[in-house]
Amino acid sequence: MSHILLKGVEKIYPNGYKAIHGIDMEIEEGEFIVLVGPSGCGKSTLLRMVAGLEDITNGEVHIAGRKVNDLEPSQRDIAMVFQNYALYPHMTNYKNMAYGLKNLGTPKDEIDKRVKEVAKLLELEDLLDRRPKELSGGQRQRVAMGRAIVRKPTAFLFDEPLSNLDAKLRVQMRLVIKNLQARLGTTTLYVTHDQVEAMTMADRLIVLKDGIAEQIGTPMELYDKPETKFVGGFIGSPAMNFIDATLSSDFDEIQFQDTKLPLKTKLNSQSSNIIFGFRPEHVTLVDNSAMSLHVELVEHLGAESIIHAKLGETPITLRLNGHIEAKNGDTLNVDIDADRYHFFEKESGLRL
Amino acid sequence: MIENRPVSTFISHAVLLAGVAIVLFPIWITIVAASHDAARLLQVPLPLGLGDQFYENLKEVIGKGVGNTAPLGLMLFNSLVMALMIAIGKIVVSLLSAYAIVYFDFKFRMLFFWMIFITLMLPVEVRILPTYEVVAKLGMLNTYWGLTLPLIASATATFMFRQTFLSVPDELLEAARIDGAGPMQFFFDILIPVSRTSIAAMFVILFIYGWNQYLWPLLITTDKNMVTIVMSIKTMMEALEELPKWHHIMMTALLAMIPPVLVVIGMQKLFVKGLTETEK
Amino acid sequence: MLVAPQIIITLVFFMWPASQAVYQSLLIEDAFGGNTAFVWFDNFKELFEDDHYIKTVGRTFFYSAMVAMLSLSVSLVLAAMADRVIKGTGIYRTLLIWPYAVAPVVAGALWVFLFYPTTGIVSTFLTSIGYEWNHQLKGDQAMALVVVAAAWKQISYNFLFFLAGMQAIPKSLIEAASIDAASPFKRFWTIIFPLITPTTFFLLVVNIVYAFFETFGIIHVVTKGGPANATEILVYKVYNDGFVGLDLGGSAAQSVILMVLVIGMTIFQFKFIERKVEY
């Protein structure tokens, strides 16, 4: 049985703006689901609809088998971690964590036991008597999580919880959250705009764009088989290269600029104008090939090199292992892994 | 500052000290005058240093009052009651309405807001006469309620609390909702503690505002047992046909300014913070 | 209903009196309250034809402008200096904050004492150097005295705001200016002063409102509007005509005019505050 169920969920604001377009999704118990997309795509709105902080215009949200559309946030048995943590500034960390339980009428010793347990889990024991103001960003983040965990909710909701932390801490906290979630086994919905965060943490993710779910799947499904050009470009870093190409009349060869690439299998397309995509890491340098690029800039990262080049006027990024000697003006010949071609319809951006 | 040239620092301090001297000179003279007897204050030139009659004067005004006025002790008490009633009354009333205006969506919300808003910064002085008649009709002349209620009507505090509440992040409300706090719990557990700086600042401002009220008490109190200390100064200055009894007047003035000055200086940090942050 | 207390108080003690004022301003009543006649806008017409009233309006504006200018400039200088010194800003602030707490009436009494024609410390000093001081007889001196007393009381408030405004300016800006070789004086006029314009503007409005309405006590104690009405401002006239002269209609009409004036200023300031919130 699904744990959280979204059935045709829509959000239309009073001014007529449609922020969420009919989203359907079934989430299993214990799954870590990431909502990812560029800012303004509606991912936070969707999360807040699950939380009960935004009204649901159409459709239904079920949590643990209960329809929760008309329930108050506090009745939905969920806990939420906010981007700016939203800790109560005048309460100690202990009270911050205890507040929700207190409102539920939990007995004092039970509250105390649970708060101490969670504090231990998050290594917050020494900080319980301090106020949020006296903590570092990472510590506040942990208190905010602690506040969610003590409630023992059916589901955790995270709204960009790491975006106020510096890069190094973010990587650390990613692991902390992921481990905790695995240990507690609590169903989790997690919003982020950072695709790396999304890829590394999610069991499955939803890519949202303009309130539409572009694709729902595991990280590798999204990486290997993006359903739309948008997902292809959004998942993976550096982003996928896209080239306008023409499909030959017998569907087994594409052509762009001076280059012709034969296809292993015939491509089924209505139109001969298509978009060809390949990932920067799916290329090899060769002495001689059909595709030669003009190097503009090379970034040496040590373990790998990122090469910014041009094919005619189209910018192309390559990601190659090791140290590649190349400089502005050089010509590089490359082969693209034929199993890793992606094709998209030009108009709709849908995968072919 | 960046450079520490002794000369410019010296000039700055000199100017500041001069400023302080000008600002505090009248207050110093008050203290001086309160410490001399009546005769000394009629001789030219007047003294600039302290005299030895301070306690004599103090005893006399506190116990007996000046001329035909009530004893100062009672006046101080009246002033205190009035100032506290105004300050606390306004804060309570304004907190409630600001909370309603910011966090609840109800019918006529904007109408209420504008109605309250129009009273903002509209001092009693402007509507003094009709207000007087209203209070008289309600039979509240010479009562503490008559003294304070009309002054609670101004909207400054509501407006400032509204600003404060607006600056409280929405997430706090959302977190509280998820934590199962109802509207009243949110108000008392979260909103009031979070706004305590502004509340303290408002208290200082309103206490002083209340304490220093003049025209209104002057109009509605005819019973000399309801007189506030601030009003009494004027009465004293008019009390005698010839020369004012300066030593008593100045002692009274001193007593009249001590409580508000103590409040301001004691709560200076909160007050300055609240004043400059919320009102802007 | 949470707004209920405020609404009731507002209705009873504001809306009711205000509408009463409007209503009364359209009536003529004799001093003993015997006969009342509805005269439409005659009270207003009379006011605007009254030389005396027009003069009072002019005097009020002059007075407010003087109070605002004097108080603002003194506190601006003091705040600029306090912002410059490294040590003692807090102490200076504590010392300068005093007058804020002093009631207008008390302030008035202090200044009267200082300038009392026969015995005042300052007035006898002025007389001894050959300047005849008697604000009980000379209108311009009376005006000067109330202006000084009113401005004195307002210095604290202005000082606090100026100082807060100046301390909110990022240090790096001042540092950049000093690297650009601007002298302290120049830095003040070209960097600091323009940056605190919003504060200055806000204070200007506050000070004018203050001078308009809240200095009643000062005037009442110091000069009672005299000599020969030399210091009678609008609020004082409302009081005087209404409670002393018992011309209720005329006084009410004046109240209405004042109310319109205040509402205008308030809206003006509100717009300004809203704009300030934006950046």
Side-chain angles (χ1 to χ4, degrees):
Chain A
M1 192 190 90
S2 61
H3 203 59
I4 298 178
L5 176 68
L6 308 181
K7 264 204 277 189
V9 172
E10 293 202 325
K11 176 80 189 174
I12 302 167
Y13 283 106
N15 62 13
Y17 175 71
K18 200 167 183 180
I20 301 286
H21 296 252
I23 294 199
D24 292 293
M25 187 176 188
E26 286 185 24
I27 297 166
E28 302 300 322
E29 176 146 19
E31 258 192 312
F32 196 112
I33 302 292
V34 174
L35 300 160
V36 65
S39 58
C41 70
K43 55 192 189 296
S44 284
T45 312
L46 185 57
L47 186 80
R48 293 160 57 82
M49 285 161 81
V50 175
L53 298 171
E54 298 268 0
D55 290 335
I56 299 161
T57 318
N58 291 313
E60 291 178 7
V61 173
H62 294 253
I63 299 175
R66 260 190 326 165
K67 184 179 163 199
V68 296
N69 281 37
D70 300 322
L71 293 184
E72 276 290 299
S74 55
Q75 298 166 331
R76 296 188 180 193
D77 198 16
I78 44 113
M80 186 155 168
V81 177
F82 293 86
Q83 177 170 3
N84 62 7
Y85 319 135
L87 296 173
Y88 311 122
H90 59 291
M91 295 186 190
T92 61
N93 296 322
Y94 181 93
K95 284 193 180 149
N96 259 290
M97 293 203 250
Y99 188 64
L101 291 176
K102 206 181 101 196
N103 286 334
L104 290 175
T106 316
K108 250 196 167 142
D109 45 336
E110 169 73 10
I111 297 181
D112 192 60
K113 204 183 100 207
R114 282 215 232 165
V115 170
K116 296 233 161 99
E117 241 173 59
V118 172
K120 200 171 162 202
L121 188 71
L122 291 167
E123 293 166 31
L124 288 169
E125 291 139 302
D126 301 335
L127 304 174
L128 284 178
D129 292 331
R130 302 218 201 146
R131 282 164 205 265
K133 205 166 57 186
E134 302 163 62
L135 304 186
S136 70
Q139 289 167 335
R140 279 184 217 183
Q141 166 66 53
R142 293 214 300 271
V143 176
M145 272 169 34
R147 183 168 70 179
I149 294 170
V150 280
R151 300 267 310 277
K152 295 193 179 155
T154 329
F156 290 138
L157 308 177
F158 288 89
D159 191 0
E160 308 227 12
L162 302 183
S163 55
N164 284 350
L165 301 178
D166 64 47
K168 202 177 157 193
L169 206 52
R170 211 178 304 165
V171 175
Q172 264 175 31
M173 288 307 295
R174 228 152 67 188
L175 277 174
V176 172
I177 296 180
K178 183 72 186 155
N179 278 334
L180 261 173
Q181 193 268 342
R183 246 168 89 184
L184 299 168
T186 312
T187 314
T188 300
L189 271 175
Y190 186 106
V191 163
T192 179
H193 64 271
D194 178 347
Q195 59 93 14
V196 179
E197 214 169 286
M199 293 289 279
T200 49
M201 298 180 81
D203 294 329
R204 282 195 298 156
L205 28 78
I206 314 178
V207 181
L208 279 172
K209 187 193 165 207
D210 300 332
I212 299 169
E214 293 266 318
Q215 188 169 359
I216 301 176
T218 65
M220 287 324 284
E221 279 168 12
L222 264 65
Y223 178 82
D224 289 335
K225 264 189 144 189
E227 288 297 333
T228 64
K229 176 174 177 254
F230 174 78
V231 175
F234 191 76
I235 300 291
S237 170
M240 186 184 276
N241 296 302
F242 295 110
I243 304 169
D244 285 334
T246 330
L247 187 62
S248 67
S249 49
D250 40 8
F251 305 115
D252 59 0
E253 190 184 64
I254 57 165
Q255 184 179 0
F256 48 90
Q257 299 179 22
D258 299 334
T259 314
K260 282 187 179 166
L261 287 180
L263 304 181
K264 278 186 170 172
T265 51
K266 288 197 176 188
L267 189 62
N268 186 11
S269 171
Q270 307 280 328
S271 157
S272 61
N273 287 323
I274 59 164
I275 291 171
F276 167 55
F278 64 95
R279 296 202 179 271
E281 52 271 36
H282 295 153
V283 292
T284 36
L285 287 185
V286 289
D287 290 338
N288 226 326
S289 84
M291 201 171 150
S292 31
L293 306 172
H294 295 280
V295 175
E296 296 210 309
L297 181 78
V298 183
E299 295 171 322
H300 298 289
L301 303 178
E304 57 192 27
S305 306
I306 310 287
I307 298 164
H308 300 274
K310 275 204 168 156
L311 176 75
E313 285 306 302
T314 316
I316 299 287
T317 313
L318 307 177
R319 176 169 155 187
L320 297 161
N321 283 332
H323 181 84
I324 306 292
E325 265 318 324
K327 58 183 191 298
N328 188 354
D330 286 357
T331 303
L332 287 179
N333 290 315
V334 295
D335 263 352
I336 303 167
D337 185 346
D339 294 326
R340 306 273 203 169
Y341 293 164
H342 303 271
F343 300 103
F344 303 98
E345 264 181 30
K346 191 155 187 173
E347 294 298 311
S348 64
L350 291 176
R351 182 179 188 84
L352 287 168
Chain B
M1 276 291 135
I2 322 102
E3 78 266 83
N4 271 321
R5 272 178 285 161
V7 178
S8 73
T9 309
F10 175 75
I11 293 175
S12 305
H13 280 289
V15 171
L16 279 169
L17 285 173
V20 169
I22 293 172
V23 167
L24 292 186
F25 180 66
I27 291 170
W28 171 247
I29 292 300
T30 313
I31 300 172
V32 169
S35 67
H36 287 273
D37 57 27
R40 180 65 188 88
L41 294 180
L42 295 176
Q43 292 163 18
V44 178
L46 287 179
L48 286 171
L50 291 173
D52 53 7
Q53 297 294 308
F54 194 84
Y55 292 104
E56 298 295 312
N57 292 338
L58 185 63
K59 247 193 303 191
E60 206 174 321
V61 290
I62 292 260
K64 282 190 243 153
V66 181
N68 57 349
T69 62
L72 249 66
L74 180 63
M75 292 186 201
L76 280 171
F77 176 76
N78 285 341
S79 281
L80 191 68
V81 170
M82 180 173 78
L84 286 177
M85 274 175 80
I86 290 178
I88 293 168
K90 251 194 184 190
I91 286 175
V92 170
V93 166
S94 308
L95 276 174
L96 289 175
S97 26
Y99 181 52
I101 287 171
V102 174
Y103 288 98
F104 292 91
D105 219 354
F106 54 91
K107 251 187 175 176
F108 308 125
R109 180 167 79 147
M110 282 329 271
L111 177 80
F112 283 144
F113 176 65
W114 279 105
M115 207 166 101
I116 292 171
F117 183 71
I118 292 214
T119 59
L120 177 68
M121 287 177 61
L122 223 164
V124 222
E125 279 82 351
V126 182
R127 54 196 152 96
I128 196 94
L129 202 128
T131 312
Y132 174 81
E133 289 180 348
V134 167
V135 171
K137 272 181 207 157
L138 295 175
M140 292 206 271
L141 294 179
N142 283 318
T143 64
Y144 285 127
W145 291 114
L147 266 179
T148 51
L149 278 180
L151 298 170
I152 292 175
S154 121
T156 336
T158 310
F159 187 66
M160 278 176 70
F161 286 138
R162 176 180 167 264
Q163 301 288 87
T164 312
F165 291 170
L166 285 177
S167 70
V168 172
D170 286 344
E171 282 86 351
L172 233 45
L173 171 64
E174 294 174 348
R177 281 179 69 189
I178 289 176
D179 275 342
M184 277 298 126
Q185 269 163 312
F186 174 67
F187 184 61
F188 287 111
D189 289 351
I190 317 270
L191 202 55
I192 296 221
V194 164
S195 321
R196 63 191 184 284
T197 321
S198 333
I199 294 175
M202 256 349 268
F203 178 79
V204 177
I205 294 172
L206 294 175
F207 182 84
I208 289 166
Y209 167 84
W211 184 273
N212 290 350
Q213 277 305 315
Y214 172 61
L215 178 55
W216 181 247
L218 185 71
L219 291 179
I220 79 143
T221 56
T222 44
D223 181 347
K224 74 175 187 180
N225 288 323
M226 287 299 296
V227 163
T228 66
I229 188 154
V230 169
M231 290 163 57
S232 72
I233 301 230
K234 169 73 179 161
T235 328
M236 288 178 199
M237 288 181 76
E238 283 176 339
L240 299 166
E241 293 304 304
E242 339 82 57
L243 280 171
K245 278 185 170 174
W246 284 118
H247 62 305
H248 286 165
I249 294 176
M250 287 296 120
M251 176 53 84
T252 313
L254 194 61
L255 289 173
M257 70 171 100
I258 283 174
V261 166
L262 284 183
V263 169
V264 166
I265 294 190
M267 295 174 82
Q268 190 188 164
K269 277 231 168 75
L270 282 175
F271 166 62
V272 170
K273 208 172 150 213
L275 188 72
T276 45
E277 275 172 13
T278 44
E279 201 158 292
K280 271 207 275 188
Chain C
M1 279 294 267
L2 296 167
V3 277
Q6 176 135 25
I7 293 298
I8 291 168
I9 292 177
T10 306
L11 279 178
V12 174
F13 294 106
F14 176 73
M15 288 302 174
W16 187 8
S19 49
Q20 279 281 338
V22 175
Y23 176 64
Q24 272 182 358
S25 69
L26 307 177
L27 301 177
I28 282 185
E29 197 173 348
D30 66 44
F32 305 99
N35 302 310
T36 314
F38 197 70
V39 291
W40 285 107
F41 296 105
D42 278 7
N43 281 321
F44 290 96
K45 226 169 87 190
E46 207 175 295
L47 272 182
F48 286 117
E49 281 164 2
D50 181 1
D51 241 14
H52 186 62
Y53 186 72
I54 302 296
K55 263 193 202 152
T56 310
V57 173
R59 190 184 302 124
T60 308
F61 279 100
F62 171 76
Y63 164 76
S64 306
M66 291 303 287
V67 171
M69 296 271 280
L70 183 62
S71 183
L72 283 176
S73 48
V74 171
S75 38
L76 181 63
V77 170
L78 290 177
M81 294 302 159
D83 187 39
R84 284 184 56 78
V85 300
I86 314 131
K87 283 182 195 159
T89 310
I91 298 171
Y92 287 123
R93 200 176 61 190
T94 309
L95 290 174
L96 289 171
I97 212 172
W98 277 59
Y100 176 81
V102 177
V105 188
V106 177
L110 304 190
W111 286 89
V112 169
F113 181 64
L114 289 176
F115 282 89
Y116 203 74
T118 47
T119 58
I121 291 177
V122 182
S123 51
T124 46
F125 170 74
L126 286 175
T127 310
S128 74
I129 58 167
Y131 185 83
E132 201 72 33
W133 181 275
N134 192 338
H135 66 262
Q136 290 177 331
L137 297 176
K138 297 185 182 168
D140 48 346
Q141 290 183 355
M143 180 55 113
L145 185 56
V146 284
V147 166
V148 168
W152 173 76
K153 210 187 114 42
Q154 197 64 2
I155 285 177
S156 314
Y157 187 86
N158 296 339
F159 174 77
L160 287 179
F161 273 87
F162 274 135
L163 188 60
M166 287 177 195
Q167 286 179 339
I169 297 174
K171 277 257 147 46
S172 56
L173 265 180
I174 315 285
E175 283 165 357
S178 70
I179 288 168
D180 287 341
S183 69
F185 188 71
K186 224 177 166 177
R187 277 205 306 262
F188 181 80
W189 281 114
T190 53
I191 314 286
I192 299 178
F193 191 67
L195 284 175
I196 56 165
T197 317
T199 311
T200 314
F201 189 71
F202 166 79
L203 285 176
L204 189 66
V205 177
V206 169
N207 275 271
I208 288 175
V209 172
Y210 159 80
F212 253 72
F213 304 109
E214 285 164 45
T215 54
F216 173 86
I218 295 180
I219 294 178
H220 197 206
V221 165
V222 177
T223 63
K224 287 201 200 138
N229 298 325
T231 53
E232 187 177 65
I233 61 166
L234 288 169
V235 173
Y236 200 86
K237 196 166 156 54
V238 171
Y239 163 80
N240 220 14
D241 291 359
F243 285 89
V244 183
L246 292 177
D247 170 14
L248 296 183
S251 173
Q254 292 179 33
S255 288
V256 171
I257 293 173
L258 272 181
M259 275 189 245
V260 171
L261 214 61
V262 182
I263 290 172
M265 277 198 228
T266 310
I267 290 172
F268 181 63
Q269 191 185 6
F270 181 61
K271 285 213 156 130
F272 171 68
I273 289 173
E274 291 283 278
R275 193 147 26 100
K276 249 168 75 172
V277 169
E278 274 173 35
Y279 73 95

